[in-house]
Amino acid sequence: LMLAAHLVLGGQQSPAAHHMNKLEAMSTKRYGVRFRYTRLHSDLGDYHFAYRCPEHRLNALKSSVAPFARHTYSRFFRRPLAHPVAIIFFRNISRFRKHTGSTAYGFYLRAENSIITYAGSGYGTLWHELIHAWLDQNVSQPPQEWFEEGLASFYEMASLRRGRVIEGYTNWRHPTLQAAIIQKRIVPLRKFLL
């Protein structure tokens, strides 16, 4: 029995139920494990979660989405999300790597509007990947990678304090960029820009 069977309107399955059913079928088939499911509705969009982590870890991450969206999404985008964002949390990095084959902290699948990560990666990875999902639904063509990754990386170092997003912390990539500049291993902007 699919999770979203109770989300029925007038005898027909609601769009939220349909999306949750698709998430359940996709996540189980692709990763070969069973997940638990929940959703978060906000004025700016819906988020559907598939998770294999402890409930308290999910709740901490889930509770960061609405304040982050209020602070960040509304600064850059004018309309609510047209489609729910699916967010899949594995229990830990070893399970995440085993089932996805990825060595990253998480990733966004454009074709499925899905974020895949693990609970221990924290707010940073979740927020980074949310930027990708939000851009995907709000631009007419994919932005250049430097812009998209730059914006996503900026927000992965933000923090949440008393329900407020604090931004501006130095990104962990900064020392690598500084070293590349000093060692003259970067392409100058005058050659890079068209």
Side-chain angles (χ1 to χ4, degrees), residues 82-108:
H83 307 285
V85 176
I87 303 171
I88 300 173
F89 283 114
F90 283 91
R91 180 180 193 86
N92 54 41
I93 193 168
S94 63
R95 296 286 178 194
F96 168 74
R97 289 186 173 161
K98 175 185 174 188
H99 291 286
T100 66
S102 175
T103 58
Y105 294 106
F107 54 91
Y108 172 67

PDB file of all heavy atoms in Angstrom, residues 82-108:
ATOM      1  N   ALA A  82       6.988  25.240  -8.569  1.00  0.00           N
ATOM      2  CA  ALA A  82       5.910  24.633  -9.352  1.00  0.00           C
ATOM      3  C   ALA A  82       5.755  23.155  -9.039  1.00  0.00           C
ATOM      4  O   ALA A  82       4.669  22.596  -9.180  1.00  0.00           O
ATOM      5  CB  ALA A  82       6.180  24.822 -10.846  1.00  0.00           C
ATOM      6  N   HIS A  83       6.841  22.507  -8.607  1.00  0.00           N
ATOM      7  CA  HIS A  83       6.834  21.070  -8.329  1.00  0.00           C
ATOM      8  C   HIS A  83       7.532  20.806  -6.994  1.00  0.00           C
ATOM      9  O   HIS A  83       8.499  21.477  -6.667  1.00  0.00           O
ATOM     10  CB  HIS A  83       7.566  20.302  -9.434  1.00  0.00           C
ATOM     11  CG  HIS A  83       7.059  20.630 -10.795  1.00  0.00           C
ATOM     12  ND1 HIS A  83       5.859  20.156 -11.276  1.00  0.00           N
ATOM     13  CD2 HIS A  83       7.580  21.404 -11.776  1.00  0.00           C
ATOM     14  CE1 HIS A  83       5.670  20.628 -12.488  1.00  0.00           C
ATOM     15  NE2 HIS A  83       6.688  21.390 -12.820  1.00  0.00           N
ATOM     16  N   PRO A  84       7.070  19.814  -6.251  1.00  0.00           N
ATOM     17  CA  PRO A  84       7.736  19.472  -4.990  1.00  0.00           C
ATOM     18  C   PRO A  84       9.180  19.026  -5.235  1.00  0.00           C
ATOM     19  O   PRO A  84       9.499  18.447  -6.277  1.00  0.00           O
ATOM     20  CB  PRO A  84       6.922  18.298  -4.446  1.00  0.00           C
ATOM     21  CG  PRO A  84       5.642  18.317  -5.194  1.00  0.00           C
ATOM     22  CD  PRO A  84       5.925  18.947  -6.525  1.00  0.00           C
ATOM     23  N   VAL A  85      10.037  19.321  -4.289  1.00  0.00           N
ATOM     24  CA  VAL A  85      11.419  18.844  -4.318  1.00  0.00           C
ATOM     25  C   VAL A  85      11.479  17.588  -3.458  1.00  0.00           C
ATOM     26  O   VAL A  85      11.041  17.596  -2.308  1.00  0.00           O
ATOM     27  CB  VAL A  85      12.394  19.907  -3.773  1.00  0.00           C
ATOM     28  CG1 VAL A  85      13.822  19.357  -3.712  1.00  0.00           C
ATOM     29  CG2 VAL A  85      12.335  21.178  -4.616  1.00  0.00           C
ATOM     30  N   ALA A  86      12.000  16.511  -4.028  1.00  0.00           N
ATOM     31  CA  ALA A  86      12.186  15.266  -3.272  1.00  0.00           C
ATOM     32  C   ALA A  86      13.558  15.306  -2.611  1.00  0.00           C
ATOM     33  O   ALA A  86      14.548  15.695  -3.246  1.00  0.00           O
ATOM     34  CB  ALA A  86      12.088  14.061  -4.202  1.00  0.00           C
ATOM     35  N   ILE A  87      13.614  14.934  -1.346  1.00  0.00           N
ATOM     36  CA  ILE A  87      14.877  14.920  -0.603  1.00  0.00           C
ATOM     37  C   ILE A  87      15.023  13.543   0.029  1.00  0.00           C
ATOM     38  O   ILE A  87      14.188  13.133   0.833  1.00  0.00           O
ATOM     39  CB  ILE A  87      14.905  16.023   0.474  1.00  0.00           C
ATOM     40  CG1 ILE A  87      14.671  17.400  -0.174  1.00  0.00           C
ATOM     41  CG2 ILE A  87      16.233  15.980   1.233  1.00  0.00           C
ATOM     42  CD1 ILE A  87      14.477  18.529   0.811  1.00  0.00           C
ATOM     43  N   ILE A  88      16.090  12.848  -0.347  1.00  0.00           N
ATOM     44  CA  ILE A  88      16.342  11.499   0.145  1.00  0.00           C
ATOM     45  C   ILE A  88      17.538  11.531   1.087  1.00  0.00           C
ATOM     46  O   ILE A  88      18.633  11.949   0.697  1.00  0.00           O
ATOM     47  CB  ILE A  88      16.608  10.533  -1.026  1.00  0.00           C
ATOM     48  CG1 ILE A  88      15.386  10.492  -1.945  1.00  0.00           C
ATOM     49  CG2 ILE A  88      16.977   9.144  -0.517  1.00  0.00           C
ATOM     50  CD1 ILE A  88      15.607   9.707  -3.224  1.00  0.00           C
ATOM     51  N   PHE A  89      17.304  11.111   2.336  1.00  0.00           N
ATOM     52  CA  PHE A  89      18.368  11.065   3.349  1.00  0.00           C
ATOM     53  C   PHE A  89      18.705   9.620   3.684  1.00  0.00           C
ATOM     54  O   PHE A  89      17.847   8.861   4.121  1.00  0.00           O
ATOM     55  CB  PHE A  89      17.918  11.728   4.658  1.00  0.00           C
ATOM     56  CG  PHE A  89      17.914  13.222   4.626  1.00  0.00           C
ATOM     57  CD1 PHE A  89      16.725  13.914   4.713  1.00  0.00           C
ATOM     58  CD2 PHE A  89      19.093  13.939   4.541  1.00  0.00           C
ATOM     59  CE1 PHE A  89      16.699  15.292   4.699  1.00  0.00           C
ATOM     60  CE2 PHE A  89      19.083  15.320   4.530  1.00  0.00           C
ATOM     61  CZ  PHE A  89      17.888  15.994   4.610  1.00  0.00           C
ATOM     62  N   PHE A  90      19.975   9.267   3.502  1.00  0.00           N
ATOM     63  CA  PHE A  90      20.468   7.995   4.018  1.00  0.00           C
ATOM     64  C   PHE A  90      20.912   8.198   5.454  1.00  0.00           C
ATOM     65  O   PHE A  90      21.106   9.325   5.906  1.00  0.00           O
ATOM     66  CB  PHE A  90      21.628   7.474   3.155  1.00  0.00           C
ATOM     67  CG  PHE A  90      21.165   6.869   1.862  1.00  0.00           C
ATOM     68  CD1 PHE A  90      21.052   7.645   0.721  1.00  0.00           C
ATOM     69  CD2 PHE A  90      20.811   5.532   1.795  1.00  0.00           C
ATOM     70  CE1 PHE A  90      20.603   7.100  -0.466  1.00  0.00           C
ATOM     71  CE2 PHE A  90      20.359   4.970   0.614  1.00  0.00           C
ATOM     72  CZ  PHE A  90      20.260   5.756  -0.517  1.00  0.00           C
ATOM     73  N   ARG A  91      21.081   7.104   6.178  1.00  0.00           N
ATOM     74  CA  ARG A  91      21.428   7.153   7.595  1.00  0.00           C
ATOM     75  C   ARG A  91      22.803   7.792   7.836  1.00  0.00           C
ATOM     76  O   ARG A  91      22.971   8.620   8.719  1.00  0.00           O
ATOM     77  CB  ARG A  91      21.400   5.754   8.187  1.00  0.00           C
ATOM     78  CG  ARG A  91      21.744   5.692   9.655  1.00  0.00           C
ATOM     79  CD  ARG A  91      21.698   4.254  10.178  1.00  0.00           C
ATOM     80  NE  ARG A  91      21.734   4.248  11.615  1.00  0.00           N
ATOM     81  CZ  ARG A  91      20.669   4.360  12.395  1.00  0.00           C
ATOM     82  NH1 ARG A  91      19.474   4.503  11.868  1.00  0.00           N
ATOM     83  NH2 ARG A  91      20.797   4.354  13.704  1.00  0.00           N
ATOM     84  N   ASN A  92      23.799   7.394   7.043  1.00  0.00           N
ATOM     85  CA  ASN A  92      25.160   7.891   7.251  1.00  0.00           C
ATOM     86  C   ASN A  92      25.920   7.854   5.928  1.00  0.00           C
ATOM     87  O   ASN A  92      25.414   7.377   4.914  1.00  0.00           O
ATOM     88  CB  ASN A  92      25.887   7.086   8.333  1.00  0.00           C
ATOM     89  CG  ASN A  92      25.875   5.599   8.035  1.00  0.00           C
ATOM     90  OD1 ASN A  92      26.053   5.180   6.902  1.00  0.00           O
ATOM     91  ND2 ASN A  92      25.645   4.787   9.068  1.00  0.00           N
ATOM     92  N   ILE A  93      27.148   8.342   5.965  1.00  0.00           N
ATOM     93  CA  ILE A  93      27.937   8.453   4.738  1.00  0.00           C
ATOM     94  C   ILE A  93      28.250   7.090   4.128  1.00  0.00           C
ATOM     95  O   ILE A  93      28.254   6.935   2.905  1.00  0.00           O
ATOM     96  CB  ILE A  93      29.231   9.281   4.973  1.00  0.00           C
ATOM     97  CG1 ILE A  93      29.870   9.646   3.632  1.00  0.00           C
ATOM     98  CG2 ILE A  93      30.194   8.542   5.886  1.00  0.00           C
ATOM     99  CD1 ILE A  93      30.961  10.683   3.743  1.00  0.00           C
ATOM    100  N   SER A  94      28.486   6.078   4.950  1.00  0.00           N
ATOM    101  CA  SER A  94      28.810   4.765   4.381  1.00  0.00           C
ATOM    102  C   SER A  94      27.611   4.168   3.642  1.00  0.00           C
ATOM    103  O   SER A  94      27.759   3.590   2.565  1.00  0.00           O
ATOM    104  CB  SER A  94      29.333   3.811   5.448  1.00  0.00           C
ATOM    105  OG  SER A  94      28.362   3.558   6.431  1.00  0.00           O
ATOM    106  N   ARG A  95      26.406   4.320   4.187  1.00  0.00           N
ATOM    107  CA  ARG A  95      25.200   3.835   3.495  1.00  0.00           C
ATOM    108  C   ARG A  95      24.931   4.649   2.228  1.00  0.00           C
ATOM    109  O   ARG A  95      24.550   4.108   1.202  1.00  0.00           O
ATOM    110  CB  ARG A  95      23.978   3.895   4.417  1.00  0.00           C
ATOM    111  CG  ARG A  95      24.074   3.004   5.609  1.00  0.00           C
ATOM    112  CD  ARG A  95      23.866   1.589   5.185  1.00  0.00           C
ATOM    113  NE  ARG A  95      24.002   0.742   6.354  1.00  0.00           N
ATOM    114  CZ  ARG A  95      24.143  -0.550   6.301  1.00  0.00           C
ATOM    115  NH1 ARG A  95      24.173  -1.163   5.137  1.00  0.00           N
ATOM    116  NH2 ARG A  95      24.277  -1.254   7.378  1.00  0.00           N
ATOM    117  N   PHE A  96      25.123   5.948   2.333  1.00  0.00           N
ATOM    118  CA  PHE A  96      24.949   6.820   1.182  1.00  0.00           C
ATOM    119  C   PHE A  96      25.883   6.386   0.049  1.00  0.00           C
ATOM    120  O   PHE A  96      25.457   6.211  -1.093  1.00  0.00           O
ATOM    121  CB  PHE A  96      25.227   8.271   1.596  1.00  0.00           C
ATOM    122  CG  PHE A  96      25.370   9.246   0.460  1.00  0.00           C
ATOM    123  CD1 PHE A  96      24.270   9.677  -0.251  1.00  0.00           C
ATOM    124  CD2 PHE A  96      26.622   9.747   0.120  1.00  0.00           C
ATOM    125  CE1 PHE A  96      24.408  10.588  -1.290  1.00  0.00           C
ATOM    126  CE2 PHE A  96      26.765  10.654  -0.918  1.00  0.00           C
ATOM    127  CZ  PHE A  96      25.658  11.081  -1.620  1.00  0.00           C
ATOM    128  N   ARG A  97      27.156   6.202   0.368  1.00  0.00           N
ATOM    129  CA  ARG A  97      28.133   5.817  -0.664  1.00  0.00           C
ATOM    130  C   ARG A  97      27.864   4.416  -1.204  1.00  0.00           C
ATOM    131  O   ARG A  97      27.992   4.175  -2.405  1.00  0.00           O
ATOM    132  CB  ARG A  97      29.546   5.942  -0.120  1.00  0.00           C
ATOM    133  CG  ARG A  97      29.927   7.396   0.048  1.00  0.00           C
ATOM    134  CD  ARG A  97      31.341   7.615   0.432  1.00  0.00           C
ATOM    135  NE  ARG A  97      31.609   9.059   0.387  1.00  0.00           N
ATOM    136  CZ  ARG A  97      32.604   9.627   0.996  1.00  0.00           C
ATOM    137  NH1 ARG A  97      33.467   8.909   1.692  1.00  0.00           N
ATOM    138  NH2 ARG A  97      32.768  10.928   0.908  1.00  0.00           N
ATOM    139  N   LYS A  98      27.465   3.501  -0.332  1.00  0.00           N
ATOM    140  CA  LYS A  98      27.174   2.138  -0.762  1.00  0.00           C
ATOM    141  C   LYS A  98      26.030   2.113  -1.778  1.00  0.00           C
ATOM    142  O   LYS A  98      26.097   1.436  -2.801  1.00  0.00           O
ATOM    143  CB  LYS A  98      26.817   1.264   0.440  1.00  0.00           C
ATOM    144  CG  LYS A  98      26.378  -0.142   0.063  1.00  0.00           C
ATOM    145  CD  LYS A  98      25.919  -0.925   1.267  1.00  0.00           C
ATOM    146  CE  LYS A  98      25.347  -2.272   0.825  1.00  0.00           C
ATOM    147  NZ  LYS A  98      24.732  -2.980   1.920  1.00  0.00           N
ATOM    148  N   HIS A  99      24.972   2.855  -1.494  1.00  0.00           N
ATOM    149  CA  HIS A  99      23.775   2.795  -2.338  1.00  0.00           C
ATOM    150  C   HIS A  99      23.811   3.738  -3.546  1.00  0.00           C
ATOM    151  O   HIS A  99      23.103   3.498  -4.528  1.00  0.00           O
ATOM    152  CB  HIS A  99      22.515   3.058  -1.514  1.00  0.00           C
ATOM    153  CG  HIS A  99      22.216   1.956  -0.556  1.00  0.00           C
ATOM    154  ND1 HIS A  99      21.715   0.738  -0.963  1.00  0.00           N
ATOM    155  CD2 HIS A  99      22.359   1.869   0.785  1.00  0.00           C
ATOM    156  CE1 HIS A  99      21.560  -0.054   0.093  1.00  0.00           C
ATOM    157  NE2 HIS A  99      21.942   0.622   1.159  1.00  0.00           N
ATOM    158  N   THR A 100      24.615   4.798  -3.482  1.00  0.00           N
ATOM    159  CA  THR A 100      24.651   5.746  -4.602  1.00  0.00           C
ATOM    160  C   THR A 100      25.929   5.638  -5.427  1.00  0.00           C
ATOM    161  O   THR A 100      25.946   6.073  -6.573  1.00  0.00           O
ATOM    162  CB  THR A 100      24.538   7.205  -4.111  1.00  0.00           C
ATOM    163  OG1 THR A 100      25.701   7.540  -3.344  1.00  0.00           O
ATOM    164  CG2 THR A 100      23.271   7.415  -3.289  1.00  0.00           C
ATOM    165  N   GLY A 101      27.002   5.146  -4.814  1.00  0.00           N
ATOM    166  CA  GLY A 101      28.290   5.109  -5.505  1.00  0.00           C
ATOM    167  C   GLY A 101      28.968   6.464  -5.558  1.00  0.00           C
ATOM    168  O   GLY A 101      30.020   6.624  -6.174  1.00  0.00           O
ATOM    169  N   SER A 102      28.423   7.449  -4.904  1.00  0.00           N
ATOM    170  CA  SER A 102      28.964   8.812  -4.936  1.00  0.00           C
ATOM    171  C   SER A 102      29.976   9.024  -3.814  1.00  0.00           C
ATOM    172  O   SER A 102      29.802   8.512  -2.704  1.00  0.00           O
ATOM    173  CB  SER A 102      27.826   9.820  -4.781  1.00  0.00           C
ATOM    174  OG  SER A 102      28.335  11.132  -4.687  1.00  0.00           O
ATOM    175  N   THR A 103      30.998   9.827  -4.098  1.00  0.00           N
ATOM    176  CA  THR A 103      31.961  10.218  -3.064  1.00  0.00           C
ATOM    177  C   THR A 103      31.699  11.648  -2.586  1.00  0.00           C
ATOM    178  O   THR A 103      32.423  12.162  -1.745  1.00  0.00           O
ATOM    179  CB  THR A 103      33.406  10.106  -3.584  1.00  0.00           C
ATOM    180  OG1 THR A 103      33.541  10.928  -4.745  1.00  0.00           O
ATOM    181  CG2 THR A 103      33.754   8.665  -3.912  1.00  0.00           C
ATOM    182  N   ALA A 104      30.668  12.288  -3.128  1.00  0.00           N
ATOM    183  CA  ALA A 104      30.298  13.642  -2.711  1.00  0.00           C
ATOM    184  C   ALA A 104      29.543  13.576  -1.383  1.00  0.00           C
ATOM    185  O   ALA A 104      29.273  12.496  -0.854  1.00  0.00           O
ATOM    186  CB  ALA A 104      29.418  14.279  -3.780  1.00  0.00           C
ATOM    187  N   TYR A 105      29.171  14.719  -0.846  1.00  0.00           N
ATOM    188  CA  TYR A 105      28.353  14.777   0.365  1.00  0.00           C
ATOM    189  C   TYR A 105      26.875  14.644   0.013  1.00  0.00           C
ATOM    190  O   TYR A 105      26.055  14.334   0.859  1.00  0.00           O
ATOM    191  CB  TYR A 105      28.585  16.089   1.116  1.00  0.00           C
ATOM    192  CG  TYR A 105      29.986  16.208   1.655  1.00  0.00           C
ATOM    193  CD1 TYR A 105      30.911  17.066   1.059  1.00  0.00           C
ATOM    194  CD2 TYR A 105      30.398  15.466   2.752  1.00  0.00           C
ATOM    195  CE1 TYR A 105      32.195  17.180   1.547  1.00  0.00           C
ATOM    196  CE2 TYR A 105      31.683  15.562   3.246  1.00  0.00           C
ATOM    197  CZ  TYR A 105      32.576  16.431   2.638  1.00  0.00           C
ATOM    198  OH  TYR A 105      33.848  16.528   3.118  1.00  0.00           O
ATOM    199  N   GLY A 106      26.548  14.939  -1.222  1.00  0.00           N
ATOM    200  CA  GLY A 106      25.187  14.859  -1.708  1.00  0.00           C
ATOM    201  C   GLY A 106      25.161  15.330  -3.146  1.00  0.00           C
ATOM    202  O   GLY A 106      26.160  15.836  -3.658  1.00  0.00           O
ATOM    203  N   PHE A 107      24.010  15.176  -3.796  1.00  0.00           N
ATOM    204  CA  PHE A 107      23.898  15.644  -5.172  1.00  0.00           C
ATOM    205  C   PHE A 107      22.431  15.881  -5.509  1.00  0.00           C
ATOM    206  O   PHE A 107      21.531  15.407  -4.824  1.00  0.00           O
ATOM    207  CB  PHE A 107      24.543  14.667  -6.171  1.00  0.00           C
ATOM    208  CG  PHE A 107      24.059  13.249  -6.073  1.00  0.00           C
ATOM    209  CD1 PHE A 107      22.975  12.808  -6.823  1.00  0.00           C
ATOM    210  CD2 PHE A 107      24.705  12.339  -5.242  1.00  0.00           C
ATOM    211  CE1 PHE A 107      22.541  11.493  -6.737  1.00  0.00           C
ATOM    212  CE2 PHE A 107      24.278  11.023  -5.151  1.00  0.00           C
ATOM    213  CZ  PHE A 107      23.190  10.597  -5.907  1.00  0.00           C
ATOM    214  N   TYR A 108      22.239  16.637  -6.580  1.00  0.00           N
ATOM    215  CA  TYR A 108      20.897  16.965  -7.074  1.00  0.00           C
ATOM    216  C   TYR A 108      20.728  16.326  -8.440  1.00  0.00           C
ATOM    217  O   TYR A 108      21.590  16.464  -9.308  1.00  0.00           O
ATOM    218  CB  TYR A 108      20.726  18.485  -7.172  1.00  0.00           C
ATOM    219  CG  TYR A 108      19.444  18.902  -7.838  1.00  0.00           C
ATOM    220  CD1 TYR A 108      18.217  18.659  -7.236  1.00  0.00           C
ATOM    221  CD2 TYR A 108      19.453  19.537  -9.067  1.00  0.00           C
ATOM    222  CE1 TYR A 108      17.030  19.032  -7.843  1.00  0.00           C
ATOM    223  CE2 TYR A 108      18.270  19.921  -9.686  1.00  0.00           C
ATOM    224  CZ  TYR A 108      17.066  19.661  -9.071  1.00  0.00           C
ATOM    225  OH  TYR A 108      15.895  20.030  -9.680  1.00  0.00           O
TER     226      TYR A 108
END
